[in-house]
Amino acid sequence: MNKTKYKLIFIYFLITLLFTACNKNIASNNAEMLNIIKETENDTRDIKECGIITLGDKLLIIGLSGENEYNYGYYAGEFSINEDGKYKFQRTIPLYSIGWQLRTNMWENGNVLLCNNDNVTKVQIIIKETGNKKSIITEEINEIPWVYYHNISDIHNYDIQYKFLDAKNEEVQ
């Protein structure tokens, strides 16, 4: 009888541990999503939300950690949106430097842009598709940090250039 009791306690402990581990990657709000990213990246600093991109049942939350512009860490975490409104962590996405406090990477069918540079007031998106004229899209940046998703699913055989501009329309790098 004692062995059975200990086996049941052990099984209960294992089931509890399993459910706890499974729920570790489930979040119900933005702060919890940022904490999951922070733990995944082993960053002990506070993480601040920069922005969110939602595409269907997928969500990308972008954050930064650090005390000042010289030691920021930039993070992007992909979550799936469950039917119950919770967010399940899928993976982190690296953000690559393309200038001072400027980051990018491809996600889904587009490019994610992050600007944390106070000198930048707009971004010019210059698209040259094979066989078509060059087109230029200008997006105003009204708040820093700024997050933007540029969907490129309808563009084929292309060259895209992103120019971050200051108030004098000079490129910031």
Side-chain angles (χ1 to χ4, degrees), residues 119 121-122 165-171:
N119 296 324
T121 60
K122 61 186 141 204
L165 306 174
D166 64 13
K168 297 177 188 173
N169 285 328
E170 294 177 1
E171 189 170 5

Side-chain angles (χ1 to χ4, degrees), residues 82-94:
N82 297 340
E83 291 177 9
D84 62 358
K86 304 247 183 200
Y87 308 98
K88 184 174 187 327
F89 177 71
Q90 300 298 318
R91 63 187 172 130
T92 56
I93 311 261

Side-chain angles (χ1 to χ4, degrees), residues 82-118:
N82 297 340
E83 291 177 9
D84 62 358
K86 304 247 183 200
Y87 308 98
K88 184 174 187 327
F89 177 71
Q90 300 298 318
R91 63 187 172 130
T92 56
I93 311 261
L95 295 171
Y96 300 110
S97 177
I98 55 172
W100 181 250
Q101 305 300 337
L102 306 171
R103 301 290 187 271
T104 190
N105 200 351
M106 291 192 75
W107 181 62
E108 291 302 302
N109 293 316
N111 293 320
V112 174
L113 301 173
L114 165 66
C115 176
N116 194 38
N117 185 322
D118 290 325

